Amino acid sequence: MRNERGGGTMVAERNVPHHHRPKFGALLHSSDPSLTSPTSTNETNNNDSSHQNDYSTRRSSASATSPRYYGNSTQGGSSTEGSPYVMSPWNPATASPYNKSPWITPSSLNPLDENFPLNGLIGSLVREEGHIYSLAVKGDLLYTGSDSRNIRVWKNLKDFTGFKSKSGLIKAIVISGERIFTGHQDGKIRVWKFSEKNPSNYKRVGSLPTMKDFIRSSMKPKNYVEVRRHRSVVRIRHFDAVSCLSMNEEQGLLYSGSWDKSFKVWRIADSKCLESVAAHEDAVNSVVVGFESLVFTGSADGTVKVWRRELQGKGTSHVLVQTLLKQENAVTALAVNKEAAIVYCGSSDGLVNYWERAKHLSHGGVLRGHKLAVLCLSSAGNLVFSGSADKNICIWRREEGGAHTCLSVLTGHTGPVKCLTVVEDHGSENKPGQGWVLYSGSLDRSVKVWRVSEDAPDLRQIRALVKDASIRQEAARLHY
């Protein structure tokens, strides 16, 4: 996944033209903690070798010459009005006191009552053992994966327990029932089991594919695929890093994406590999289960593809039905809002594109909020969250009609934000607006926990509140 720069406003565009993509040089797979500087190092293979990235200024094909929307008005040109940068720590001219705080909207700036919904930091989880690459939540337990090969388990913002694999940076974690699936840098998917009655003990129960299936498959020449000259591998096993996992609970299926350019489909009941799809021309960085039997994949080759699971003979297979995006910048993250039927795509140019099922998956617009690559996305309710190599998190709210507003730019991480997950905030039942708890994992070795409200003021409203509060304070000072 490569890093580039973004802007700070939402741009809605249609009919995305396809760019011709030059040969892919390096991905921001981020095994190197030195990513925190404007020039980063990139992972390109299993042995974690790194290369310099130039942060070029090439843009997505979905960002060219189109109107920009500011509230209900439409303007042309490139204005910073309404941009998250106007109220962000990147803008040295901004006088807002919250630039110096890890809270994006601290209560000291709130001139309203105490129940006014705000977005803010709950706490930070730090354990000096590795950079955080993956997150998952089940009930009151938070699972974090790092390059230390440890999976830590947190409860009530405290270190609860943990378990460790023998090898492989943990790039993805998903949970189904009492089983945990972890995707690793060494190309393996490991399976762990625990009891919900006693979640402090974890036991590894196998890997995907199972040894039995691997040996059986390796006996037949037809089950091999050529991956490079004079080298063939068994089709049902990933031969490069497993970069992403996604679960289809209804069908009992697990999807895994890999830098080997494929995604694979696993039946959870018997750990059998049902299908291996040569999906892209470069590393698969994201795979997500969508709506209406659709699966979405995003790749370093700059494309987002749509696959449909269809019946074929006695089984099923995944058929390519559409390519949503072709661009020269790597696609680094995907997220799906199943209720609203919207697909979000983050890329190395710092942009978030989205498509709407209600409009036959036509391009809905572009969200500009980051200077560097978008590394992770998550969606809940009417909100979408984007984490970036610029160390910040943008919170976007989908308004009626489909336009998106940037509510907040959450600051506080000192390294690239590598993973996000969000759950409903059950502690906000007596507060107005839908509440969420957002977890963000970073290469600064920490996980931050945020409380987020869909009814929180957006950046324009915050600016107005700050200005109004400053005027009142100045008036009070002059009065006395």
Side-chain angles (χ1 to χ4, degrees):
M1 299 185 288
R2 296 168 293 180
N3 286 349
E4 301 186 10
R5 61 188 179 91
T9 58
M10 195 284 283
V11 180
E13 297 153 7
R14 306 290 180 187
N15 300 324
V16 184
H18 290 174
H19 264 276
H20 190 67
R21 193 189 75 90
K23 184 176 180 181
F24 180 69
L27 298 175
L28 179 58
H29 290 309
S30 314
S31 64
D32 195 319
S34 61
L35 235 170
T36 55
S37 66
T39 301
S40 70
T41 59
N42 309 320
E43 292 180 344
T44 57
N45 53 36
N46 257 358
N47 60 10
D48 291 338
S49 63
S50 58
H51 304 278
Q52 289 294 333
N53 183 31
D54 61 359
Y55 286 86
S56 66
T57 57
R58 292 172 297 174
R59 296 198 173 194
S60 161
S61 60
S63 66
T65 61
S66 57
R68 304 179 186 233
Y69 290 82
Y70 306 97
N72 295 325
S73 64
T74 304
Q75 302 179 6
S78 58
S79 167
T80 58
E81 180 67 25
S83 165
Y85 298 145
V86 175
M87 292 295 288
S88 93
W90 304 320
N91 186 350
T94 302
S96 169
Y98 79 78
N99 282 347
K100 301 178 181 179
S101 169
W103 289 269
I104 193 64
T105 53
S107 58
S108 61
L109 299 180
N110 180 20
L112 304 178
D113 62 79
E114 62 181 6
N115 290 322
F116 195 77
L118 294 172
N119 298 333
L121 183 67
I122 297 174
S124 296
L125 312 177
V126 181
R127 186 181 173 95
E128 294 294 333
E129 64 177 14
H131 310 92
I132 307 299
Y133 283 83
S134 51
L135 296 169
V137 174
K138 183 176 178 64
D140 59 353
L141 300 178
L142 170 69
Y143 297 81
T144 60
S146 71
D147 54 5
S148 69
R149 299 175 294 180
N150 284 343
I151 298 99
R152 299 305 311 172
V153 187
W154 307 79
K155 185 175 183 179
N156 299 325
L157 302 183
K158 296 181 179 179
D159 193 359
F160 180 60
T161 186
F163 49 103
K164 186 172 185 176
S165 64
K166 292 183 179 179
S167 64
L169 178 157
I170 300 128
K171 300 184 73 68
I173 305 173
V174 295
I175 305 172
S176 177
E178 294 186 343
R179 279 190 289 182
I180 299 173
F181 300 86
T182 53
H184 296 256
Q185 180 87 12
D186 61 8
K188 293 183 179 180
I189 302 170
R190 293 175 170 87
V191 187
W192 314 81
K193 194 167 185 179
F194 70 102
S195 170
E196 293 186 3
K197 295 181 179 179
N198 183 19
S200 60
N201 293 324
Y202 293 81
K203 180 181 179 182
R204 182 180 169 187
V205 294
S207 60
L208 301 180
T210 64
M211 184 59 68
K212 180 179 178 181
D213 286 345
F214 178 75
I215 294 174
R216 182 185 300 166
S217 182
S218 65
M219 298 294 185
K220 299 179 181 180
K222 70 175 183 178
N223 292 329
Y224 284 79
V225 292
E226 186 175 1
V227 295
R228 59 178 66 97
R229 191 177 181 184
H230 304 309
R231 187 195 174 191
S232 296
V233 298
V234 178
R235 184 187 302 272
I236 65 172
R237 174 184 282 183
H238 286 298
F239 65 88
D240 208 334
V242 176
S243 55
C244 46
L245 297 171
S246 184
M247 188 76 66
N248 185 333
E249 292 281 6
E250 293 181 0
Q251 299 295 327
L253 300 176
L254 173 68
Y255 291 80
S256 60
S258 170
W259 294 357
D260 64 15
K261 311 176 188 179
S262 77
F263 74 86
K264 302 188 190 299
V265 188
W266 310 86
R267 187 164 56 208
I268 298 174
D270 58 4
S271 301
K272 183 178 179 62
C273 182
L274 301 179
E275 191 177 358
S276 179
V277 181
H280 289 272
E281 296 178 358
D282 212 322
V284 176
N285 288 326
S286 185
V287 58
V288 292
V289 173
F291 35 80
E292 302 175 8
S293 299
L294 298 180
V295 176
F296 301 87
T297 57
S299 168
D301 65 13
T303 64
V304 176
K305 294 185 178 182
V306 187
W307 309 82
R308 178 179 285 114
R309 183 169 174 266
E310 297 181 352
L311 291 172
Q312 289 193 357
K314 295 182 180 180
T316 62
S317 65
H318 288 75
V319 178
L320 178 64
V321 294
Q322 192 174 351
T323 298
L324 296 180
L325 182 67
K326 286 184 179 180
Q327 64 177 17
E328 59 183 19
N329 298 297
V331 173
T332 52
L334 296 175
V336 171
N337 185 321
K338 293 185 179 180
E339 290 73 21
I342 298 178
V343 184
Y344 296 93
C345 158
S347 52
S348 61
D349 52 11
L351 304 180
V352 177
N353 287 273
Y354 65 94
W355 296 262
E356 301 166 292
R357 181 57 172 168
K359 299 177 182 177
H360 308 288
L361 284 178
S362 63
H363 186 252
V366 182
L367 311 180
R368 300 171 180 271
H370 295 286
K371 284 186 171 182
L372 303 178
V374 174
L375 302 181
C376 49
L377 291 170
S378 189
S379 180
N382 289 318
L383 301 180
V384 61
F385 308 87
S386 55
S388 170
D390 62 22
K391 310 173 190 177
N392 298 320
I393 304 163
C394 285
I395 305 176
W396 308 88
R397 180 174 61 207
R398 182 174 54 85
E399 311 291 355
E400 291 185 13
H404 288 66
T405 301
C406 186
L407 292 185
S408 301
V409 179
L410 304 181
T411 65
H413 279 296
T414 59
V417 180
K418 199 69 177 64
C419 47
L420 296 170
T421 191
V422 59
V423 296
E424 188 173 356
D425 183 8
H426 296 290
S428 62
E429 295 178 355
N430 298 324
K431 298 180 181 179
Q434 173 66 60
W436 305 95
V437 174
L438 174 69
Y439 299 89
S440 58
S442 169
L443 299 188
D444 64 8
R445 300 173 183 259
S446 78
V447 175
K448 293 192 181 296
V449 188
W450 315 84
R451 178 166 284 117
V452 178
S453 171
E454 292 193 13
D455 291 341
D458 61 30
L459 289 172
R460 280 186 170 189
Q461 293 170 317
I462 293 171
R463 190 164 56 226
L465 292 174
V466 171
K467 183 177 180 181
D468 183 63
S470 298
I471 292 173
R472 288 205 301 245
Q473 290 173 2
E474 180 64 16
R477 186 184 67 81
L478 293 175
H479 179 73
Y480 290 104

